[in-house]
Amino acid sequence: MLDGDCVRVDWLIRCTDVVSLGWVACVSLAAVRSNCVLNLGLLVVAAQLAIVGPGSEIHAYVLRHGFESQIMVSSALIDMYSKCGFLGLGSKVFEVMPERNTITYNSVISGLGLYGLASETFKLFKEMLKMGFQPDESTFQGMRRVDLSGMV
């Protein structure tokens, strides 16, 4: 019997293969309709591999099938675009989100911090507090990225 770690590694390898082969082609060939969990998993892999092509294909699929209203999918899109070097696209996803939470703010704060954009990072942090969202460990890790980039 496989333990949880083996299952996760196997799942990651399969997702990596799907992302590298072309997400739309694999889903089309398999005649599978994607769901929120699959989209989320593939976006995480695209972010970890920093490959924007398949990530943007998934974004188009998300828009065509109405998954953009799901906070976790939008947060994963923000994270993927930021890690792939397209911070502006991640920010656009954030701007059009009808609903936000701490996780979505953390995704943008992390991306801004990654690129050393101190003033924008602190501005968004203040907005997060003003909106009543509680910062968590991930928020402060994103804020520290600004410091680690030598900007503060």
Side-chain angles (χ1 to χ4, degrees), residues 1-72:
M1 189 159 137
L2 295 173
D3 66 349
D5 289 336
C6 290
V7 172
R8 277 188 288 253
V9 170
D10 182 55
W11 179 81
L12 180 62
I13 290 168
R14 291 175 195 266
C15 283
T16 303
D17 290 342
V18 169
V19 169
S20 63
L21 292 173
W23 178 82
V24 171
C26 287
V27 170
S28 297
L29 288 173
V32 174
R33 181 167 166 89
S34 181
N35 61 30
C36 177
V37 175
L38 179 59
N39 292 329
L40 187 59
L42 293 173
L43 285 168
V44 167
V45 172
Q48 289 175 347
L49 297 175
I51 51 175
V52 74
S56 62
E57 288 180 23
I58 297 165
H59 188 184
Y61 185 92
V62 162
L63 291 172
R64 282 193 308 272
H65 293 89
F67 292 112
E68 74 276 2
S69 63
Q70 296 177 346
I71 291 177
M72 293 303 293

Side-chain angles (χ1 to χ4, degrees), residues 122-142:
F122 289 112
K123 179 181 171 190
L124 196 62
F125 179 71
K126 288 178 186 176
E127 177 185 313
M128 177 184 175
L129 294 175
K130 182 179 176 184
M131 296 301 290
F133 296 111
Q134 291 292 96
D136 59 15
E137 185 177 326
S138 294
T139 311
F140 295 114
Q141 286 176 348

